[in-house]
Amino acid sequence: MARMHEAGTRAAVGLALGGGAARGVAHVGALKALEAEGVAVAGVAGTSYGAVIAALFALGSPALEIERVVRTQDLAELWRQAFDFGLHEGGLVRGRRLSRWLDRKFFMGATFDDVRVPLAIACTDLATGRLRVVRSGSIADAVRASCALPGVFAPVRLGEEVLIDGGLVETVPFRALATLDVPLMVGVHAGVDVSRSRFVTALRRLAASRGGRAYYRRTGELGVAGTVRQLARGLAISARSYSRPVRAPRGAYVVSVDPGVAWWDFHRSPQSIAAGEAAVTALLRRMRLEGALPVRSTEPRQRGADAAANAAASS
């Protein structure tokens, strides 16, 4: 049985973390902002790189510890995990080496039964193109599946299902977070603004065309048995995903963070973290003004000031 986070009387939210690779390091800043503003996390969902940060946090690492891990990471060691070629399995990188490395270095064999904060990992079912929320089993395997971008990382088989990147269904994993029954949902989007990309605009048009729709249907009919079919299906789902806007469900909040870095710029993690912290701090203060979160009490601080004044007067 997972141990639940003790929120006490503090304000609490559920947190949905999207992808973005090095841009997604902004999620560490989001966690720092929540801690600084006295807001507890009642549950966390992640997809793609957001799944990595969500898993580390759910297993009990505070924001400052995650920041230390990210900022001191040997980038050469990280990139070496990519030398696990997997074209025969439907991606440039097979991903098993990365999964073992994540498990050994960060997750230490943890399963969802070990989490201290409820955790949900969002993936996409390759056969149906629909959301698959993982909440049991190996955390490293779930994270690897959620990071399996078609054509780059090979799909991951969990049980009877073949899974790929969860961000292809929903950029910010609000639906995965909703399975945790949290009091108030807050999402963080740090991915690239695809609306400014000519390539993505062309891809959207192709996916919406008669030929693009026929290709999507055809790959669904062929199934996902075999590497070529898996790759074709993954690319079809990926092309369609760019037409989905980033939206928050009714009553939820979402903040978009622009760290000003590329997806591969892990060496610029301090910039990404600072951007995430600033954006989420501003969001939390707006939520307090709107009444979505209680206003922070200044009573403890005032008591301290009164006690100091009394001590000075009596000396």
Side-chain angles (χ1 to χ4, degrees), residues 75-301:
L75 296 180
E77 181 186 13
L78 173 62
W79 289 116
R80 279 198 297 271
Q81 310 316 309
F83 291 100
D84 180 21
F85 297 112
L87 286 175
H88 60 294
E89 294 190 18
L92 290 174
V93 180
R94 187 165 56 165
R96 292 181 186 173
R97 183 173 179 177
L98 176 63
S99 179
R100 289 195 297 266
W101 179 76
L102 285 170
D103 207 10
R104 182 178 67 253
K105 195 170 183 73
F106 302 116
F107 304 140
M108 294 172 283
T111 71
F112 282 79
D113 290 330
D114 298 314
V115 300
R116 297 181 63 183
V117 175
L119 171 68
I121 300 297
C123 302
T124 300
D125 185 320
L126 188 61
T128 65
R130 295 175 182 168
L131 175 70
R132 167 70 163 90
V133 181
V134 182
R135 292 183 56 188
S136 63
S138 163
I139 286 180
D141 286 347
V143 168
R144 179 163 73 99
S146 188
C147 294
L149 185 66
V152 180
F153 289 99
V156 176
R157 181 174 291 278
L158 291 183
E160 298 299 315
E161 297 170 313
V162 180
L163 305 180
I164 56 175
D165 190 333
L168 302 178
V169 175
E170 192 174 32
T171 307
V172 179
F174 281 111
R175 283 191 281 161
L177 182 60
T179 66
L180 301 179
D181 192 28
V182 294
L184 174 64
M185 294 195 290
V186 172
V188 183
H189 173 244
V192 176
D193 183 359
V194 296
S195 65
R196 300 177 184 177
S197 169
R198 293 182 180 178
F199 172 75
V200 171
T201 299
L203 199 59
R204 283 174 170 171
R205 289 175 181 164
L206 177 62
S209 68
R210 179 180 298 178
R213 295 194 302 271
Y215 176 69
Y216 182 85
R217 286 196 305 271
R218 182 61 176 159
T219 58
E221 292 167 356
L222 291 173
V224 292
T227 300
V228 174
R229 290 181 180 180
Q230 287 182 1
L231 180 59
R233 181 60 173 165
L235 292 176
I237 293 172
S238 182
R240 174 171 281 202
S241 72
Y242 288 112
S243 299
R244 295 190 176 95
V246 178
R247 286 182 182 151
R250 183 185 297 271
Y253 288 82
V254 64
V255 60
S256 291
V257 182
D258 184 4
V261 305
W263 65 267
W264 59 83
D265 284 338
F266 284 98
H267 65 284
R268 298 174 68 184
S269 60
Q271 183 174 330
S272 292
I273 292 169
E277 186 171 7
V280 174
T281 296
L283 173 66
L284 294 174
R285 291 176 181 175
R286 176 166 70 86
M287 290 169 67
R288 285 198 167 99
L289 288 174
E290 294 176 358
L293 290 175
V295 177
R296 294 187 72 178
S297 172
T298 59
E299 185 181 357
R301 198 175 294 173

